[in-house]
Amino acid sequence: MTAIDDSTRHPDALRADMVRALRGLDAITSSCVAAAFAAVPRHLFAPDAPLDLAYNVHRTVPVKQDEHGLDISAMSAPHLQAVMLEQLGVESGMRVLEIGSGGVNAAYLQELVGSEGEVTTVDIDRDIIDRARRCLDEAGYPQVRTVVADGESGVPTGAPYDRIIVTAAAWDIPPSWISSLSAKGRLVVPLTVCGTTRTVAFDHDGEGGLVSRSYGLARFVPMQGDGAAEERKALLREGIALQTDDVHVPLDARALNHALASSRLECWSGAAYDLPDELELYLTFHLSSAARLHAHQEVIDSGLVEPSARLGVPALVSEDSIAYRTRRGNEGTGGFESGVIAHGPHAEALADEYVALLRRWAAQHRRRGAATLRYLPGPTPSPLPQNAAVRPHGIVTAAWT
């Protein structure tokens, strides 16, 4: 059978296929979001990309890179954009603010709010805003308001907003976002804690803070400007790195690299390994000294580090030891079992803590949507609540039921 070359197909056909695929993946669940994705000529927002890339449901399109070749702006994959718009719950006539602009998402928002609604999109980068403006005009969305500003401050002149959506990874929620939300407003933000990011739909909790309505897996380029994450990174050796935003986590690259060179301790939990995104969120908030371990494929192929570290895995670290999650197949029964790899003088103690969490999650919380995240603005309370991440403007807490 001859493969179909999508690059030669008409954009309308590719767009229709994209909508069908997103419905099949349950990324699109409402008729209004489906209609928005069917209406917007997505390829006009990626003029330099092949058509098949622009309409690929799982692929991002790079927009701008820094001097090191790292993406600082990208058009998110349709799957992620659809999920976030469903989380946002936009209705006709609403006022919506988008923080982090690419153009196409603002066009989807304009379709959702209709002729009576208002969409404002803001970005700190003049190049990105100018590009978004050109694409929006060419695609037929001149009514979308484009603003150059630091998203940390929002756009007060258009407040209050019924919905705010953030399209860059944020590690804090500044006061301007909360104060700009209407009484029944909703904020959808890719929130990052210790390198783990989830798109969280927050509503007002009635006490000045925010409470999650839903959350989902996400990867985004980081916020720039005043809202940039205060992350710490340690390169243990070529191809292996740790990152965390917890100032109390020790990151002694030399000692931890020495630990990796020592023999490994394997501990198996007897607990099933599945729903890894839910498990990782649980581990991120419960490990006593959490970081995220990343390893290049070449290092994994050498056998030094497990494949779980390829896209990042929650790690438990001390001054001279490290433990992280892995898995193995269940012989004869199918599926996988969760386990821990640990290195260093305190490998056994770290592995014991980690395995206990794997077992507790599997026994009590092994399902989707079990967590409730809250954002509490203001000074850090004392004592600090359990499972809390301290931020400059408040704290993020997570609880599992």
Side-chain angles (χ1 to χ4, degrees), residues 71-96:
D71 289 338
I72 57 175
S73 180
M75 189 168 82
S76 298
H79 183 275
L80 181 53
Q81 289 177 321
V83 168
M84 291 181 70
L85 290 175
E86 292 287 4
Q87 284 184 288
L88 197 61
V90 180
E91 298 176 8
S92 179
M94 282 185 167
R95 306 175 83 179
V96 181

Side-chain angles (χ1 to χ4, degrees), residues 222-247:
M223 288 279 291
Q224 300 178 56
D226 290 342
E230 296 181 8
E231 279 197 327
R232 298 156 56 223
K233 296 182 181 179
L235 181 65
L236 306 194
R237 64 174 67 182
E238 188 66 31
I240 305 178
L242 281 168
Q243 67 179 121
T244 185
D245 51 39
D246 188 339
V247 297

Side-chain angles (χ1 to χ4, degrees), residues 127-142:
D127 291 343
I128 299 303
I129 280 293
D130 288 347
R131 180 186 183 278
R133 181 73 273 159
R134 290 192 301 270
C135 293
L136 285 163
D137 289 343
E138 183 178 356
Y141 297 93

Side-chain angles (χ1 to χ4, degrees), residues 9-57:
R9 298 180 64 202
H10 194 279
D12 291 350
L14 291 172
R15 190 157 56 253
D17 288 347
M18 177 189 69
V19 174
R20 279 192 292 270
L22 292 172
R23 278 192 173 279
L25 294 167
D26 288 332
I28 289 179
T29 57
S30 64
S31 59
C32 58
V33 173
F37 272 73
V40 174
R42 185 179 179 86
H43 60 287
L44 296 183
F45 295 87
D48 299 324
L51 284 174
D52 56 338
L53 175 59
Y55 287 101
N56 186 304
V57 296

Side-chain angles (χ1 to χ4, degrees), residues 288-351:
S288 62
S289 183
R292 195 165 181 86
L293 176 69
H294 296 265
H296 289 174
Q297 189 62 49
E298 294 83 358
V299 177
I300 293 169
D301 292 341
S302 74
L304 180 61
V305 179
E306 290 291 293
S308 57
R310 187 175 69 85
L311 296 177
V313 62
L316 175 61
V317 298
S318 67
E319 295 282 357
D320 57 7
S321 303
I322 183 170
Y324 63 97
R325 176 189 53 72
T326 187
R327 70 176 190 179
R328 67 179 178 184
N330 290 320
E331 203 170 316
T333 60
F336 295 91
E337 177 187 5
S338 287
V340 174
I341 302 296
H343 297 264
H346 299 96
E348 186 172 352
L350 297 187

